[in-house]
Amino acid sequence: MKIYAVITVAVLLLALVSAIDGQKRRSKDRRREGGGKERRRQSKNKGNELETDQCEDISDKQKQRKLRGARKAYERTAPIVLAEQLKKDAGRRRRNAEMVCPESAAPHDGDISQRAISPWAWELDVDVNRYPTEIAKAKCLCTAGCLVNGKLDFNYASEPIVTQMKVLRRTMCDRKGKWRYHVEWENVPVGCTCASPKS
């Protein structure tokens, strides 16, 4: 009986030692795996360090290919044409920035943006992480009310007319030192209209 008791105790001790040893190995494996993930994370972040100083941009032709010809389709639209004009005309940019909602209106031969009962001005929106970098966007001059019968009527509201434009968005620098882009749709205000106020 004593021999069986000694053997039983020995077996229990061996099982306990084996369990402790297995737990230690699993703990080491988890630490090793965690360290690998951390090294991969650091390596990935290290690749992104090129973003500001060393990363090179792709050519305009490559960007246009990424847009699949969309640039040619809209390069004559108002947001692109006016962006080129505003870029070259600092005086016009300044005048547009100073425009405010008129209290009254009279017939004149100006641009439709100024003859509309919900007038707007064009602003040059510049985003270095987007292609095209410059896009002209409409800004409603009257945030409340519309020019109805030549007078500002607060029973109506000026609302922007928004279209979507396909652009490229610069995301990160790859390991070859080149900027990466992805295609996205951007909301671009192209004018303003008069509408009933939201309930």
Short mmCIF file of all heavy atoms in Angstrom, two decimals, residues 7-26:
data_model
loop_
_atom_site.label_atom_id
_atom_site.label_comp_id
_atom_site.label_asym_id
_atom_site.label_seq_id
_atom_site.Cartn_x
_atom_site.Cartn_y
_atom_site.Cartn_z
N ILE A 7 3.91 5.97 -5.42
CA ILE A 7 3.82 6.09 -6.88
C ILE A 7 2.77 7.14 -7.27
O ILE A 7 2.97 7.96 -8.17
CB ILE A 7 3.47 4.73 -7.49
CG1 ILE A 7 4.65 3.76 -7.32
CG2 ILE A 7 3.12 4.87 -8.98
CD1 ILE A 7 4.35 2.33 -7.75
N THR A 8 1.64 7.11 -6.55
CA THR A 8 0.57 8.08 -6.84
C THR A 8 1.04 9.50 -6.62
O THR A 8 0.79 10.40 -7.44
CB THR A 8 -0.66 7.79 -5.95
OG1 THR A 8 -1.09 6.46 -6.18
CG2 THR A 8 -1.79 8.75 -6.27
N VAL A 9 1.74 9.72 -5.51
CA VAL A 9 2.26 11.06 -5.22
C VAL A 9 3.26 11.49 -6.28
O VAL A 9 3.27 12.64 -6.74
CB VAL A 9 2.89 11.10 -3.81
CG1 VAL A 9 3.63 12.41 -3.60
CG2 VAL A 9 1.83 10.89 -2.75
N ALA A 10 4.12 10.55 -6.71
CA ALA A 10 5.13 10.87 -7.72
C ALA A 10 4.47 11.27 -9.04
O ALA A 10 4.89 12.21 -9.71
CB ALA A 10 6.05 9.67 -7.92
N VAL A 11 3.41 10.52 -9.42
CA VAL A 11 2.70 10.83 -10.66
C VAL A 11 2.05 12.21 -10.59
O VAL A 11 2.10 12.99 -11.54
CB VAL A 11 1.64 9.74 -10.95
CG1 VAL A 11 0.73 10.17 -12.10
CG2 VAL A 11 2.31 8.42 -11.28
N LEU A 12 1.44 12.53 -9.46
CA LEU A 12 0.81 13.85 -9.28
C LEU A 12 1.84 14.97 -9.37
O LEU A 12 1.59 16.02 -9.97
CB LEU A 12 0.08 13.90 -7.95
CG LEU A 12 -1.20 13.04 -7.85
CD1 LEU A 12 -1.74 13.07 -6.42
CD2 LEU A 12 -2.26 13.54 -8.82
N LEU A 13 3.02 14.73 -8.76
CA LEU A 13 4.07 15.75 -8.82
C LEU A 13 4.56 15.95 -10.25
O LEU A 13 4.79 17.08 -10.69
CB LEU A 13 5.24 15.34 -7.92
CG LEU A 13 4.99 15.46 -6.41
CD1 LEU A 13 6.16 14.89 -5.62
CD2 LEU A 13 4.78 16.93 -6.02
N LEU A 14 4.73 14.86 -10.99
CA LEU A 14 5.16 14.97 -12.38
C LEU A 14 4.14 15.73 -13.23
O LEU A 14 4.48 16.56 -14.07
CB LEU A 14 5.39 13.58 -12.98
CG LEU A 14 6.66 12.85 -12.54
CD1 LEU A 14 6.67 11.41 -13.05
CD2 LEU A 14 7.89 13.59 -13.02
N ALA A 15 2.85 15.43 -12.99
CA ALA A 15 1.79 16.13 -13.74
C ALA A 15 1.79 17.62 -13.41
O ALA A 15 1.61 18.47 -14.28
CB ALA A 15 0.44 15.51 -13.39
N LEU A 16 2.02 17.96 -12.13
CA LEU A 16 2.05 19.36 -11.72
C LEU A 16 3.21 20.10 -12.35
O LEU A 16 3.08 21.21 -12.86
CB LEU A 16 2.12 19.43 -10.19
CG LEU A 16 2.13 20.84 -9.58
CD1 LEU A 16 0.85 21.59 -9.95
CD2 LEU A 16 2.27 20.75 -8.06
N VAL A 17 4.40 19.43 -12.33
CA VAL A 17 5.60 20.04 -12.94
C VAL A 17 5.40 20.23 -14.43
O VAL A 17 5.76 21.26 -15.02
CB VAL A 17 6.85 19.18 -12.64
CG1 VAL A 17 8.03 19.67 -13.48
CG2 VAL A 17 7.17 19.21 -11.17
N SER A 18 4.80 19.25 -15.10
CA SER A 18 4.55 19.34 -16.54
C SER A 18 3.59 20.47 -16.87
O SER A 18 3.77 21.21 -17.84
CB SER A 18 3.99 18.00 -17.03
OG SER A 18 3.68 18.07 -18.41
N ALA A 19 2.55 20.63 -16.05
CA ALA A 19 1.58 21.71 -16.28
C ALA A 19 2.23 23.07 -16.13
O ALA A 19 1.99 23.99 -16.91
CB ALA A 19 0.41 21.56 -15.32
N ILE A 20 3.07 23.21 -15.09
CA ILE A 20 3.76 24.49 -14.86
C ILE A 20 4.70 24.80 -16.02
O ILE A 20 4.78 25.93 -16.52
CB ILE A 20 4.53 24.45 -13.53
CG1 ILE A 20 3.54 24.38 -12.36
CG2 ILE A 20 5.44 25.67 -13.39
CD1 ILE A 20 4.19 24.17 -11.02
N ASP A 21 5.43 23.78 -16.49
CA ASP A 21 6.36 23.96 -17.60
C ASP A 21 5.61 24.36 -18.87
O ASP A 21 6.04 25.23 -19.62
CB ASP A 21 7.15 22.67 -17.81
CG ASP A 21 8.26 22.86 -18.84
OD1 ASP A 21 9.04 23.81 -18.69
OD2 ASP A 21 8.32 22.05 -19.80
N GLY A 22 4.47 23.71 -19.14
CA GLY A 22 3.68 24.06 -20.31
C GLY A 22 3.15 25.48 -20.25
O GLY A 22 3.12 26.19 -21.24
N GLN A 23 2.75 25.92 -19.07
CA GLN A 23 2.26 27.29 -18.91
C GLN A 23 3.36 28.29 -19.19
O GLN A 23 3.14 29.33 -19.80
CB GLN A 23 1.70 27.47 -17.50
CG GLN A 23 1.01 28.81 -17.29
CD GLN A 23 0.37 28.90 -15.91
OE1 GLN A 23 0.54 28.01 -15.09
NE2 GLN A 23 -0.34 29.98 -15.67
N LYS A 24 4.58 27.98 -18.73
CA LYS A 24 5.72 28.88 -18.98
C LYS A 24 6.00 28.98 -20.48
O LYS A 24 6.27 30.06 -21.00
CB LYS A 24 6.95 28.38 -18.24
CG LYS A 24 6.90 28.57 -16.74
CD LYS A 24 8.20 28.08 -16.10
CE LYS A 24 8.18 28.31 -14.58
NZ LYS A 24 9.42 27.80 -13.95
N ARG A 25 5.95 27.84 -21.18
CA ARG A 25 6.20 27.86 -22.63
C ARG A 25 5.14 28.67 -23.36
O ARG A 25 5.45 29.45 -24.27
CB ARG A 25 6.24 26.43 -23.17
CG ARG A 25 7.55 25.71 -22.89
CD ARG A 25 7.70 24.51 -23.83
NE ARG A 25 6.62 23.54 -23.63
CZ ARG A 25 6.67 22.53 -22.80
NH1 ARG A 25 7.75 22.35 -22.05
NH2 ARG A 25 5.66 21.69 -22.69
N ARG A 26 3.88 28.50 -22.98
CA ARG A 26 2.81 29.27 -23.62
C ARG A 26 2.98 30.77 -23.37
O ARG A 26 2.73 31.60 -24.24
CB ARG A 26 1.44 28.81 -23.12
CG ARG A 26 1.01 27.45 -23.70
CD ARG A 26 -0.46 27.17 -23.42
NE ARG A 26 -0.72 27.05 -21.99
CZ ARG A 26 -0.63 25.90 -21.32
NH1 ARG A 26 -0.24 24.80 -21.94
NH2 ARG A 26 -0.92 25.85 -20.03
#
